[in-house]
Amino acid sequence: MSDLRPSRRSALRLLAGIGALTLGASACGPGDPGPSGATGTTGPAGETGEERRLGAEWESHARTFMAWPALESVWEDDLPYVRQDIARIARAVSEYEYVVMMARPDQLAAAQKACGKNVEVVPLAVDDLWARDTVPVFVEEGGEVAGVDFNFSGWGNKQVHENDAQVGRKLLSKYGIPRIQTSIVAEGGSFETDGEGTLLITESSIVNDNRNPGKSRAQIEAELKELLGMDKVIWLKGVRGEDITDAHVDSLVRFTAPGVILLDRAFPGMPADSWSRSSDQAKSVLSEATDAQGRSFEVIDLPQPDPDRITGYSDDFLSTYANFYIGNDAVYMPKFGDRKADDRARGILQEHFPKRDIVQVNIDTIATGGGGIHCSTHDQPGKPVE
């Protein structure tokens, strides 16, 4: 496997100096959004008489969406290996709930063979595996599900994703789900909620001229509250410009229940860096904050593995356990090869999800690309598909 291709974490660093103009204009094609706030096929929150809400991930899923990676320009010699990782996740999730794998039409057969008969592979042109970011964020209102299309732009035009920019529109059309349009550019990995009106988000990933030029934090917060049915937004600083996502929240902090948060922490004894300082800042903010219901937070450390013991490679390996995925009857977490750390993380997750199986999955190539299990999955709320 080549270790020379740009990972998601290193891509921005490598592209510095090339400039956005070299990459072209935004690849997304959202049409003509309104001046601010939600527009499109459904009206503003509350119009139906029932409040809009973004549910917690531990609530019932109708299905899990995933995407079959296709970009040789990004993965190069690692493409077969990252496909093995994606198939491994799909097979694991499909043991517990319905999985839909989006794949380019000419790759359907290969994807189906790799993922197995329990996974439904559907023809929908995609570029890469990051379904968390490209699939719309599903909200519920008036007993119905709708999808907020956040205008995926390759994380602020850092990579060209012409097909992925259309996933939101095409997927919602395919499944007959109403589309909520917005002027905000963001990705699903930017948001973490307790399902009770509290939203966690990193400022670096959305209050950023590469996505939302000219928009203040206050403007973005007001629009997110309306779009997602939130009562309170808690802003964490994040990290700007050191990975392609500008530090999504789903690799930093995760709810396990209302008022209870797992926080990614560096392996003990590691020298401080921008990522550990971001974790320190998040802990400081959360120690003083309250949620939408007025509760203080219980914050539990989720330590990373020993970098000398992991089985992956590259300086950009994303070794956080926080990027886990909560399924209907299981929680899916990475297995990095540091047995002690893997077991410790598994025990923490089992303590917080005692009624779910904890399933460990090897994702070394995905992690080398700067991502994780949560990045590659996207839940649709609702009654499970039989």
Side-chain angles (χ1 to χ4, degrees), residues 277-308:
R277 286 189 288 270
S278 171
S279 178
D280 291 341
Q281 192 268 346
K283 191 163 191 174
S284 177
V285 169
L286 293 169
S287 69
E288 299 178 0
T290 56
D291 66 14
Q293 308 302 318
R295 292 173 293 230
S296 297
F297 292 109
E298 179 186 5
V299 181
I300 296 100
D301 289 351
L302 188 61
Q304 295 181 8
D306 183 342
D308 292 330

Side-chain angles (χ1 to χ4, degrees), residues 53-214:
R53 69 181 294 268
L54 173 62
E57 194 168 290
W58 54 77
E59 298 176 29
S60 178
H61 302 174
R63 54 174 64 84
T64 292
F65 287 110
M66 297 183 66
W68 190 248
L71 285 183
E72 294 183 6
S73 60
V74 170
W75 293 103
E76 296 183 352
D77 293 341
D78 285 348
L79 185 58
Y81 302 100
V82 78
R83 285 173 171 170
Q84 289 176 6
D85 283 1
I86 285 295
R88 195 176 296 118
I89 295 171
R91 285 176 177 269
V93 177
S94 70
E95 290 292 322
Y96 294 83
E97 65 184 80
Y98 201 81
V99 175
V100 173
M101 180 71 67
M102 302 174 290
R104 292 184 179 185
D106 64 335
Q107 297 172 3
L108 284 176
Q112 190 71 72
K113 181 178 180 181
C115 295
K117 63 181 181 180
N118 289 336
V119 175
E120 180 188 7
V121 181
V122 299
L124 198 154
V126 295
D127 297 313
D128 215 335
L129 62 88
W130 313 112
R132 177 62 50 180
D133 293 347
T134 61
V135 171
V137 175
F138 294 105
V139 294
E140 297 171 273
E141 184 178 11
E144 300 295 331
V145 172
V148 182
D149 187 345
F150 276 104
N151 310 313
F152 181 72
S153 66
W155 307 281
N157 301 313
K158 299 188 193 86
Q159 287 182 353
V160 176
H161 287 250
E162 293 181 356
N163 291 306
D164 286 342
Q166 298 294 326
V167 163
R169 182 193 299 271
K170 291 181 179 179
L171 190 69
L172 293 173
S173 176
K174 178 178 179 63
Y175 286 89
I177 299 172
R179 176 174 176 258
I180 300 171
Q181 204 169 324
T182 173
S183 61
I184 288 179
V185 176
E187 303 87 33
S190 301
F191 310 119
E192 177 68 9
T193 186
D194 60 357
E196 295 189 358
T198 308
L199 187 70
L200 304 180
I201 190 168
T202 55
E203 188 169 344
S204 56
S205 71
I206 193 167
V207 188
N208 196 320
D209 283 347
N210 62 29
R211 293 168 173 85
N212 296 296

